[in-house]
Amino acid sequence: MKKIFTLLIGIVFSITILNAQEAPPPAFSFKASIKDSKGLPVLLRKISLRITILQTEMNGIAVYSEYFTPTTDLYSQVDIQIGRGTVLSGYFPSIDWSVNRYF
């Protein structure tokens, strides 16, 4: 009986550890403060954003690109979920974050 109990505890621990090693999230939050060309805050205005994820370096290959049209808040900020915009190119879930650096 004691061996069965120990085995069950081991199985529960194993399942817990495997569940803790989940895949990367399907999206992540990004918050930005928006200013115009003169450096003044853009308040309560609809803007357009294009987010592109580049592989290896800042001038690297574009592996994913998407488009957003959020509205700034009273503090000139927008909060978006990268991975949930209108896709322009690529497939966000296929990015292997462990293989390269991304910008």
Side-chain angles (χ1 to χ4, degrees), residues 47-51 66-70 80-85:
I47 63 165
S48 297
L49 290 175
R50 183 178 70 184
I51 303 295
E66 64 186 351
Y67 182 77
F68 295 89
T69 54
I80 60 172
Q81 293 284 315
I82 296 177
R84 293 198 175 127

Side-chain angles (χ1 to χ4, degrees), residues 27-44:
F28 58 90
S29 293
F30 180 77
K31 187 172 227 168
S33 184
I34 308 299
K35 297 184 179 185
D36 65 14
S37 61
K38 296 176 185 168
L40 299 173
V42 177
L43 306 175
L44 302 172

Side-chain angles (χ1 to χ4, degrees), residues 17-86:
I17 289 171
L18 289 174
N19 283 337
Q21 299 175 357
E22 295 178 16
F28 58 90
S29 293
F30 180 77
K31 187 172 227 168
S33 184
I34 308 299
K35 297 184 179 185
D36 65 14
S37 61
K38 296 176 185 168
L40 299 173
V42 177
L43 306 175
L44 302 172
R45 296 216 12 230
K46 190 172 190 172
I47 63 165
S48 297
L49 290 175
R50 183 178 70 184
I51 303 295
T52 302
I53 297 176
L54 305 171
Q55 187 176 12
T56 309
E57 60 188 4
M58 288 182 17
N59 295 321
I61 298 167
V63 294
Y64 180 75
S65 186
E66 64 186 351
Y67 182 77
F68 295 89
T69 54
T71 301
T72 59
D73 64 16
L74 289 170
Y75 305 102
S76 78
Q77 295 179 342
V78 293
D79 193 5
I80 60 172
Q81 293 284 315
I82 296 177
R84 293 198 175 127
T86 302

